[in-house]
Amino acid sequence: MNRNKNAFAGGIRDGIPIALGYFAVAFSLGIVAKKAGLNPFQGFLSSILNHASAGEYAEFTVIMANAPYFEMAFVILVTNIRYLLMSCALSQKFDPGTALGHRLLVGFGITDEIFGISVGKPGILNPYYSYGAMAIALPGWALGTAMGVVAGNVLPVSVVSALSVALYGMFVAIIIPAAKTSKVVGGVILASFLASFAASRIPALDGLSDSMKISLLTVGIAGAAALLFPLKDDAGKGEGPAEEADRRNESAEEPGDPPKVPEQVESRNESKV
């Protein structure tokens, strides 16, 4: 019991900076929610159930477009699908005997930042550590959205318009470092900008909502990039325990072989003769 309490307290401590950052970002997201016609409670409920800025922005875009529920489900699935991969990766950190309920709860509350601090914990991960981080970070996210909706109701239109740009600044802050690190990522981002601009100018696509255009472009461009530029493992990386053991066994000496003498030892012996 004490171990779980300590893990929970450690998660709260590490989640405080995340909560502060979430509040600032979600504040701008709440202004977008206000434009979509949501009240503060609806904005809070949306953020406490959907823990992704991109997913919520897509959600509000669908609401503003009066799109059907199927499109809402498809858009959120596409924008949040990376959390399925994060959940699978994080589950490997749990003790094999961890109950399914703990795995589902951690998977529900996972975000990029909570995943980062949880997967970085050395050794076996106690799910109560993730619970502690969620207990402080997720309410900060939801409260930020609610406060953003309130601000959108009381602040002047010019101030609301200026604050709404902060969300786009967050998106730019996400893609620029990745583009600097990889030329492939930078090329894909540039291709995405051009494809999005072209889609907005093609008359045949006028019947689709903006959110559906974004979803189709996301799937198409991401799929093409995965086929054209697959990630390649370095030599020796990506091997499991069995493959690594086989590789070591193949390089080991066969029984009965004479011991190998290093060349440096042989050269020294020759110099002493």
Side-chain angles (χ1 to χ4, degrees), residues 18 26 59 72 90 132 134 147 237 257 270:
I18 297 176
E59 170 192 340
M72 170 79 76
L90 192 58
M134 295 171 191
M147 293 300 296
K237 292 183 179 180
D257 288 347
E270 291 176 0

Side-chain angles (χ1 to χ4, degrees), residues 74 115 134 151 154 249:
F74 177 74
F115 170 80
M134 295 171 191
V154 299
N249 291 334

Side-chain angles (χ1 to χ4, degrees), residues 144-208:
T145 303
M147 293 300 296
V149 175
V150 173
N153 288 325
V154 299
L155 292 177
V157 177
S158 59
V159 176
V160 171
S161 178
L163 288 174
S164 64
V165 179
L167 186 62
Y168 299 99
M170 183 198 67
F171 290 149
V172 172
I174 292 173
I175 64 176
I176 292 300
K180 288 183 176 180
T181 303
S182 172
K183 293 182 179 180
V184 173
V185 174
V188 172
I189 292 174
L190 179 60
S192 301
F193 287 159
L194 296 176
S196 179
F197 176 77
S200 66
R201 292 293 186 269
I202 298 177
L205 300 179
D206 289 342
L208 299 177

Side-chain angles (χ1 to χ4, degrees), residues 21-36:
Y22 279 177
F23 184 87
V25 173
F27 189 89
S28 300
L29 192 64
I31 293 176
V32 180
K34 167 61 175 58
K35 292 182 177 179

Side-chain angles (χ1 to χ4, degrees), residues 12-120:
I12 291 179
R13 181 187 64 249
D14 295 344
I16 290 175
I18 297 176
L20 296 176
Y22 279 177
F23 184 87
V25 173
F27 189 89
S28 300
L29 192 64
I31 293 176
V32 180
K34 167 61 175 58
K35 292 182 177 179
L38 275 66
N39 59 41
F41 174 75
Q42 291 170 335
F44 178 90
L45 186 63
S46 174
S47 290
I48 206 67
L49 297 176
N50 189 357
H51 313 135
S53 57
E56 280 200 73
Y57 180 75
E59 170 192 340
F60 299 149
T61 302
V62 172
I63 292 175
M64 286 187 285
N66 293 321
Y69 291 126
F70 171 78
E71 184 172 333
M72 170 79 76
F74 177 74
V75 167
I76 294 180
L77 174 64
V78 171
T79 53
N80 291 352
I81 199 169
R82 69 184 186 278
Y83 295 117
L84 296 177
L85 303 178
M86 291 184 186
S87 298
C88 292
L90 192 58
S91 68
Q92 306 303 309
K93 291 276 293 181
F94 291 142
D95 184 90
T98 302
L100 178 62
H102 286 304
R103 297 176 183 270
L104 293 176
L105 286 175
V106 172
F108 168 75
I110 198 170
T111 66
D112 297 335
E113 292 75 17
I114 292 176
F115 170 80
I117 63 174
S118 297
V119 79

Side-chain angles (χ1 to χ4, degrees), residues 218-239:
T218 300
V219 174
I221 295 174
L227 291 175
L228 296 175
F229 308 104
L231 293 178
K232 298 180 181 179
D233 292 335
D234 296 335
K237 292 183 179 180
E239 293 180 340

